[in-house]
Amino acid sequence: MTPALLTRSFYERPTLTVASELIGKVLVHETRAGIAAGMIVEVEAYIGEDDPACHAAPGPTQRNAPLYGPPGYAYVYLNYGIHNLVNAVTEAEGSPAAVLIRALAPLDGIELMTRRRARAALCRGPGNLTQALGITLKQNRSDLTRTPLWIEDRGLSGGTIAWSRRIGIRVGAERPWRCSLAGHPSVSGKK
């Protein structure tokens, strides 16, 4: 199958649907250093102002403005002053929601990722995968339907999808909005 970039209409749907269908898709980032890509094996959904873990919970701010924008754009933010995290904005413009990409199975540019990360778990965890792919705050508001940061369908078979509680957050963790490829070694969290 020839890789196909995901279209805006893919993202302009209910967030939980987008989350489950992102499993098996490929996140790609092209930089001067080269292309790095990985199959998405774990995501989490964050939906609306009534989700206490969503950055939209306090209402619109300058930081969370991409969540309220059109679907199919990247929302990249600095988490705890340490890690950049990348999300795909979902649903209709004005309805703040996104899918956090938590883990990838490395596919392309593994040598480049290894230089950036210098650790065995290249893309296990949302901060690790952005470091491996070279995603920074400069990619905030990037259009994910075009280069240089995009998500594509390569027709990869993901396997069994498992839903569970979100992890790494203090509020809203009880919501079963974490979706992952069951048993995949790149999925983050405790084994």
Side-chain angles (χ1 to χ4, degrees):
M1 175 181 177
T2 303
L5 273 77
L6 300 184
T7 63
R8 187 103 34 238
S9 62
F10 176 90
Y11 301 99
E12 194 172 10
R13 300 181 297 152
T15 305
L16 296 177
T17 300
V18 175
S20 67
E21 292 184 15
L22 278 173
I23 301 297
K25 302 299 188 281
V26 178
L27 177 64
V28 185
H29 189 212
E30 183 176 11
T31 65
R32 289 182 186 161
I35 291 180
M39 181 179 75
I40 299 169
V41 297
E42 179 188 7
V43 298
E44 283 180 343
Y46 291 88
I47 308 169
E49 293 175 353
D50 64 342
D51 176 358
C54 183
H55 284 182
T61 66
Q62 185 174 353
R63 179 188 187 206
N64 70 22
L67 289 174
Y68 290 85
Y73 282 80
Y75 172 45
V76 181
Y77 62 89
L78 188 62
N79 191 44
Y80 300 121
I82 302 169
H83 301 291
N84 295 304
L85 304 187
V86 63
N87 299 258
V89 176
T90 58
E91 305 206 11
E93 188 167 356
S95 298
V99 176
L100 169 66
I101 301 173
R102 287 198 54 88
L104 305 174
L107 295 173
D108 305 326
I110 293 174
E111 185 178 312
L112 174 59
M113 288 189 236
T114 302
R115 284 196 310 266
R116 289 174 173 157
R117 283 265 314 132
R119 290 195 169 80
L122 292 178
C123 299
R124 186 173 178 255
N128 296 337
L129 75 87
T130 56
Q131 184 181 9
L133 269 64
I135 298 171
T136 69
L137 293 176
K138 291 179 183 176
Q139 282 71 52
N140 189 34
R141 299 178 187 245
S142 293
D143 186 345
L144 294 173
T145 67
R146 48 199 317 188
T147 63
L149 178 65
W150 71 93
I151 301 175
E152 65 186 25
D153 186 352
R154 295 187 184 178
L156 301 175
S157 175
T160 303
I161 293 176
W163 288 93
S164 60
R165 292 177 174 198
R166 296 181 296 191
I167 62 174
I169 54 176
R170 294 185 182 100
V171 295
E174 72 284 352
R175 296 182 188 196
W177 291 353
R178 178 177 172 231
C179 184
S180 62
L181 193 55
H184 196 283
S186 292
V187 171
S188 65
K190 295 178 182 176
K191 295 294 177 190

